[in-house]
Amino acid sequence: AEKEARKAAVAEGGGDAKASDAAASEAEIHPARADIRVGKIVSAEKHPEADKLYVEKIDVGGGEIRTVCSGLVAHVPTAEELLGLCVVVCNLKPANMVGIRSEGMVLAATSNDGTRVSVLRPPNGAEVGERIQYDCGSEEQLEVGVEPDAVLNPKKKLFEKIAANFRCDENGVAYWKHARWTTSAGSCVAEGISGGSIR
């Protein structure tokens, strides 16, 4: 009987440990750890040394203009079509993109069949620099008060873990799991996308 009691205690402890590990894992991939903001692409041109890349100047709020390289040439025919409001990840580690330092990532949605890519757009009236919020509606709410990391650690693939749950619904509206992306002016939408992933 004593042995059985010990086994039960160990099993119970193991369950607690697994639950704790699961909670820690869930905390690790909270979407608010990514600094995702409303940005405004104020200029764009093709990369001088890379045919598949655009080089954009993006206002990310607070008077800060960042240079960002995006592999959208195959999906957006002209640089002028990129101009305007966008959704940009601001706390990725800067990367050298064929000789140009890229300081963020413009998010776009890809259809489920992979044939269409559309830049994710906040609604007109959204404030440049504001962070994307997550509206769970009647579903279980996300933990509040989580702040973005200064830089998402690339070795831990934190952004990849967060982005694994980015998606668009049948109307192209952006979600993280069941939480709809929102701004002060409404939802973020990828035009022409009915279901699909966001990266």
Side-chain angles (χ1 to χ4, degrees), residues 56-135:
E56 304 112 10
K57 296 293 184 183
I58 304 178
D59 184 348
V60 296
E64 182 183 3
I65 304 293
R66 293 195 182 188
T67 299
V68 174
C69 296
S70 303
L72 293 169
V73 170
H75 310 289
V76 182
T78 66
E80 289 73 19
E81 292 180 62
L82 284 174
L83 302 181
L85 295 180
C86 66
V87 181
V88 58
V89 187
C90 292
N91 62 340
L92 298 174
K93 184 178 179 180
N96 187 315
M97 304 289 281
V98 196
I100 294 179
R101 178 183 169 91
S102 181
E103 303 170 302
M105 177 189 291
V106 173
L107 292 177
T110 303
S111 60
N112 284 326
D113 62 6
T115 60
R116 184 176 176 86
V117 175
S118 178
V119 175
L120 196 62
R121 301 287 190 180
N124 290 330
E127 183 177 350
V128 172
E130 69 171 292
R131 288 199 181 112
I132 299 300
Q133 304 297 315
Y134 303 92
D135 181 2

Side-chain angles (χ1 to χ4, degrees), residues 28 33 89 91-96 102 105 149-162 199:
E28 184 176 75
R33 292 185 64 181
V89 187
N91 62 340
L92 298 174
K93 184 178 179 180
N96 187 315
S102 181
M105 177 189 291
D149 291 21
V151 177
L152 290 171
N153 190 333
K155 292 182 178 179
K156 294 184 177 181
K157 299 188 179 299
L158 293 181
F159 179 70
E160 288 79 1
K161 292 176 182 178
I162 295 168
R199 280 300 295 273

Side-chain angles (χ1 to χ4, degrees), residues 4-18:
E4 293 301 321
R6 286 178 181 173
K7 286 182 181 179
V10 169
E12 183 176 352
D16 290 344
K18 288 180 181 179

